[in-house]
Amino acid sequence: MNIWKYLIKRILLIALVLFGVACIVFYIAHVIPADPVGAILGGNAPPEKIDKLRAQLGYDRPLIEQFFSFLKGAVVGDFGISIKTNNPVMKDIGLYFPATIELALVAIVISIVLGVLLGILSAVYRNRLIDNVSRVFSILGVSMPVFWIGLILILIFYYKLDWLPGGGRLDFFVDPPRRITGMYLFDSLFTGNWEAFRDALTHILLPAFVLGYNSTASIARITRSSMLEVLGQEYIRTAKAKGLKKRLVIYRHALRNALIPVVTYLGPLAAAVLTGSLVVEQIFAIPGMGRYFVSSLTSRDYPMVMAVVVIYAFIIVFVNLIVDVLYVFIDPRIDHAQ
C-alpha cells in the first residue's frame, strides 16, 4: 500500500472517529438534567419568555433535527452562537484558543527536547549519577499531579526566588504585540516587539514546564529504554569497532532507531497537553481555552462545550496521522501495508 492510499484510508477513518465523537458529545449535552435556557434567564422567568428564547436557540426543534443541524455546521466550522457571550462560537474560540495552542506548543517542545536529552544521557551513562537523577526526575513527573507541581513551582520560583512571574501572559505594564496569530511569542517575533517577546517568554516558561513535566518524564523513560536496547545491537558494536567517535555512534546510528517509540508517544503527548491545559490555565490565570471551557461547563453553554470537544478530538486524531506518516521518514523499512 503506497502512502497516498494509506492517507486516504486514514482520513476516512478520521472522519468516522469525528462523527462518533460528535454523536457522543451531542447526546451527553442533551440528556443531562440541565436547561441552558433556564440558566440564562433564571428560574423566575415567565414561561413565554423561556419559550421565545428556546425557539430562538433552536431547542424547540426535534432532537434529530438539532443533531443534523449541528453536524452540518461542524463540517463548515459553524458551531452556532455561544449562550454565555451571545457571540459566534468560533469567534470566541479564535480569541481564547491561541493562548492554549501557544502554551501546548511550548510544553511539547520542552517535553521532547528535555525528555530525549535526559533519556540519552541516562542510557549512555547508565547507573551513574546523571542516570539516577534522571530516574528520580521521571518518577516524580509521573507520580505527582499537575496541580500540585504547579503550586509547588509557583511557591519556589515566584514567591520565594522571584525568578519567574506567577501567572498571566504579560505584565500589566507591557502592551500586547499587534495581533497576527493571537500567540504572543509568534506575534512579537513577527512584529519585532522584543520587550513583549521577553515578557511573554518569561510568563510561559513555568506553566509550559508544569504542563509538559509528566510527558517529559515519560519521554525520558521511553528514550532511555529504547537507547539501551539499540546500544546493545550488533551494528552498534561494529560501528564502535571501526573506530567511529562515540558521539557519532550515539547520534547518527543509535538515536535515529531509538526515536521510533518516542515518535509513537507524540499522539498521547498532544492529548496530554491539551487536556492538562484545563488545569494549568486555571492555576496560572492564563485566559485560554481551558479556563473558558470550564466556565462554559458551569454556565451550561452547550454550543461552546460541543465545539471545544470536537476541535480537541480533531487535533488529537490529526496529530496521530502525522505520527504515522513520520514513521516512514524515520525508518523507511516500515510498511503501512502490514
Side-chain angles (χ1 to χ4, degrees):
M1 183 186 298
N2 62 44
I3 189 65
W4 295 111
K5 289 183 179 179
Y6 174 77
L7 285 175
I8 292 173
K9 180 181 178 181
R10 285 299 305 270
I11 290 172
L12 292 176
L13 288 175
I14 285 175
L16 183 62
V17 169
L18 292 178
F19 175 76
V21 170
C23 291
I24 294 172
V25 70
F26 182 86
Y27 176 76
I28 293 175
H30 286 77
V31 299
I32 58 177
D35 183 12
V37 176
I40 296 172
L41 298 178
N44 297 323
E48 60 273 11
K49 192 171 183 180
I50 293 177
D51 293 338
K52 180 180 179 180
L53 182 58
R54 182 171 281 109
Q56 181 181 345
L57 297 174
Y59 292 143
D60 62 332
R61 295 180 294 171
L63 198 61
I64 188 68
E65 185 179 338
Q66 295 183 46
F67 175 67
F68 282 110
S69 177
F70 167 68
L71 281 184
K72 181 180 177 182
V75 170
V76 297
D78 181 10
F79 291 94
I81 303 298
S82 169
I83 296 175
K84 179 181 178 182
T85 65
N86 204 30
N87 293 327
V89 169
M90 291 306 296
K91 180 180 179 181
D92 286 342
I93 289 177
L95 292 175
Y96 294 100
F97 207 48
T100 298
I101 292 296
E102 182 179 49
L103 177 63
L105 288 176
V106 177
I108 289 173
V109 171
I110 291 175
S111 299
I112 294 175
V113 174
L114 186 57
V116 170
L117 180 61
L118 286 175
I120 294 173
L121 293 174
S122 295
V124 174
Y125 301 102
R126 184 180 182 182
N127 295 328
R128 298 185 186 179
L129 178 61
I130 184 63
D131 185 26
N132 294 327
V133 171
S134 176
R135 280 189 282 183
V136 171
F137 176 86
S138 299
I139 291 173
L140 292 176
V142 299
S143 60
M144 290 196 300
V146 172
F147 73 89
W148 178 252
I149 298 172
L151 294 176
I152 291 297
L153 293 185
I154 288 176
L155 176 65
I156 295 173
F157 291 100
Y158 171 65
Y159 183 74
K160 293 293 184 182
L161 301 177
D162 195 23
W163 287 357
L164 293 171
R169 300 183 71 189
L170 289 173
D171 285 331
F172 291 111
F173 55 83
V174 178
D175 294 327
R178 180 168 58 87
R179 184 181 177 90
I180 300 176
T181 65
M183 295 181 280
Y184 287 173
L185 288 177
F186 293 95
D187 289 351
S188 56
L189 277 177
F190 294 153
T191 59
N193 190 341
W194 301 113
E195 180 186 9
F197 177 80
R198 286 190 297 269
D199 197 63
L201 184 61
T202 58
H203 276 78
I204 204 171
L205 281 178
L206 196 57
F209 177 80
V210 171
L211 180 57
Y213 185 21
N214 182 273
S215 299
T216 302
S218 298
I219 290 176
R221 297 176 70 184
I222 293 171
T223 305
R224 179 183 185 274
S225 176
S226 182
M227 281 290 293
L228 287 174
E229 181 180 352
V230 171
L231 290 173
Q233 297 294 322
E234 186 67 32
Y235 70 92
I236 296 295
R237 290 195 291 268
T238 302
K240 292 179 179 178
K242 288 182 177 179
L244 293 180
K245 294 181 179 180
K246 184 177 181 179
R247 181 178 300 178
L248 189 64
V249 172
I250 292 172
Y251 290 102
R252 177 174 295 182
H253 296 280
L255 181 58
R256 182 168 182 174
N257 291 319
L259 280 180
I260 294 177
V262 178
V263 172
T264 305
Y265 185 72
L266 291 181
L269 172 59
V273 296
L274 285 176
T275 55
S277 66
L278 300 178
V279 177
V280 173
E281 289 176 8
Q282 292 287 331
I283 295 173
F284 289 92
I286 297 175
M289 207 62 244
R291 292 185 69 194
Y292 196 70
F293 179 75
V294 173
S295 65
S296 298
L297 281 174
T298 56
S299 61
R300 301 165 191 170
D301 190 352
Y302 295 152
M304 176 61 73
V305 172
M306 292 188 293
V308 173
V309 172
V310 171
I311 291 174
Y312 273 31
F314 173 78
I315 293 174
I316 291 171
V317 296
F318 183 71
V319 170
N320 279 280
L321 174 62
I322 294 176
V323 167
D324 289 341
V325 174
L326 283 176
Y327 286 155
V328 177
F329 296 97
I330 294 177
D331 190 349
R333 296 171 297 175
I334 294 177
D335 184 5
H336 285 302
Q338 296 178 355

